Amino acid sequence: MLQNREGQRVPNVTFRVRDNNDWKDVSTTELFDGKTVAVFSLPGAFTPTCSSTHLPRFNELAPAFFANGVDAILCVSVNDTFVMNEWAKDQEAQNLVMIPDGNGDFTEGMGMLVDKQDLGFGKRSWRYSMLVKDGVVDKMFIEPQEPGDPFKVSDADTLLDYVNPSAKKPDQVVVFSKTGCPHCARAKAVLSENGYDFVEVPLDNKVRGKVLGAVAGKMTAPQVFINGQLIGSADEVEKYFSK
């Protein structure tokens, strides 16, 4: 039976971490005492849901967590430090602290260690997230005990909504562009000037017309989307920010 440990202190554990080719001991005292910490724990580094959704969204929402009183975001998995370090590089998870619970001591102490021998994983963590204040668990979101790997309540948005339901989340911005396009450069400059981070998707001339026609109803680059809304060309981006 999984344990909800709200109101209890986190387990007293020391993690063995590889940092800049040196071994380092990191204790739960260092990680939690005197801090407000968001934690999410998952079955394994490089596994599908963990890599495609769980970790990336926490990394993406990190600025919103930090702006609302959270000091650090910890990703815990029953993996060794080398695996966790490589996963962090692969995910560009610069906003997260990767915690290698290789022996499962922290996860077992949290009452979240489960047997996944049917997948060849051995002992792993059940998926959950929590907010910890000064070493004491304030709130836990534990996935339901269902077959497989449920992912319904431990996501970053749910935990952030608990921290502050009115928290401002980062805008989702995409620029469909073409190489060497001065209008694309102008649109990107306007976005940057207004403090917007964006993902650029350069489109080659063989597919550009079809892709832009399908997603934007227009054939020319750039086409800019903000939070699912089509803003349009560089001229339209400038008008959007001049309102």
Side-chain angles (χ1 to χ4, degrees):
M1 180 66 68
L2 301 176
Q3 300 175 18
N4 187 317
R5 293 179 58 90
E6 291 175 7
Q8 300 179 43
R9 289 197 63 82
V10 296
N12 184 16
V13 172
T14 297
F15 303 99
R16 292 287 283 162
V17 175
R18 192 75 170 171
D19 184 22
N20 293 323
N21 294 319
D22 293 318
W23 285 105
K24 179 180 174 185
D25 287 340
V26 178
S27 69
T28 45
T29 299
E30 296 173 64
L31 293 170
F32 292 102
D33 281 13
K35 302 173 185 175
T36 296
V37 181
V39 180
F40 66 105
S41 191
L42 35 78
F46 293 103
T47 53
T49 302
C50 306
S51 294
S52 66
T53 310
H54 208 177
L55 182 149
R57 187 60 172 164
F58 268 100
N59 193 43
E60 183 179 8
L61 289 183
F65 277 101
F66 300 151
N68 285 277
V70 172
D71 298 301
I73 303 173
L74 275 53
C75 173
V76 179
S77 183
V78 182
N79 288 111
D80 65 69
T81 186
F82 295 101
V83 170
M84 293 296 278
N85 287 347
E86 288 304 310
W87 194 33
K89 291 177 188 175
D90 180 72
Q91 291 281 324
E92 299 180 354
Q94 67 278 3
N95 294 318
L96 309 178
V97 179
M98 308 299 278
I99 302 299
D101 187 27
N103 294 327
D105 295 335
F106 182 84
T107 302
E108 184 174 22
M110 286 297 304
M112 292 290 134
L113 195 66
V114 296
D115 191 339
K116 288 187 173 284
Q117 288 190 27
D118 58 324
L119 298 176
F121 282 16
K123 300 287 187 179
R124 293 294 178 106
S125 176
W126 191 250
R127 195 184 296 276
Y128 69 96
S129 66
M130 63 181 176
L131 187 69
V132 181
K133 296 183 177 181
D134 194 20
V136 176
V137 179
D138 178 70
K139 180 66 175 178
M140 290 188 75
F141 293 96
I142 304 168
E143 292 299 335
Q145 290 182 264
E146 300 173 355
D149 180 23
F151 183 47
K152 300 176 179 179
V153 299
S154 63
D155 57 285
D157 291 85
T158 297
L159 189 58
L160 180 60
D161 288 344
Y162 174 76
V163 172
N164 179 5
S166 302
K168 175 75 168 65
K169 297 177 183 179
D171 293 289
Q172 305 287 319
V173 185
V174 175
V175 179
F176 290 97
S177 66
K178 67 177 179 179
T179 304
C181 163
H183 301 294
C184 301
R186 183 158 53 97
K188 291 185 288 182
V190 172
L191 290 168
S192 295
E193 287 164 7
N194 285 276
Y196 279 67
D197 290 326
F198 56 85
V199 173
E200 183 176 6
V201 182
L203 296 172
D204 145 317
N205 62 351
K206 294 178 182 177
V207 300
R208 186 163 51 247
K210 290 181 179 179
V211 171
L212 292 180
V215 301
K218 301 179 181 181
M219 308 287 283
T220 58
Q223 293 300 322
V224 176
F225 288 80
I226 299 178
N227 297 328
Q229 176 189 355
L230 172 63
I231 307 303
S233 66
D235 289 342
E236 289 163 326
V237 170
E238 288 178 338
K239 288 178 184 176
Y240 178 83
F241 286 106
S242 66
K243 294 176 183 177

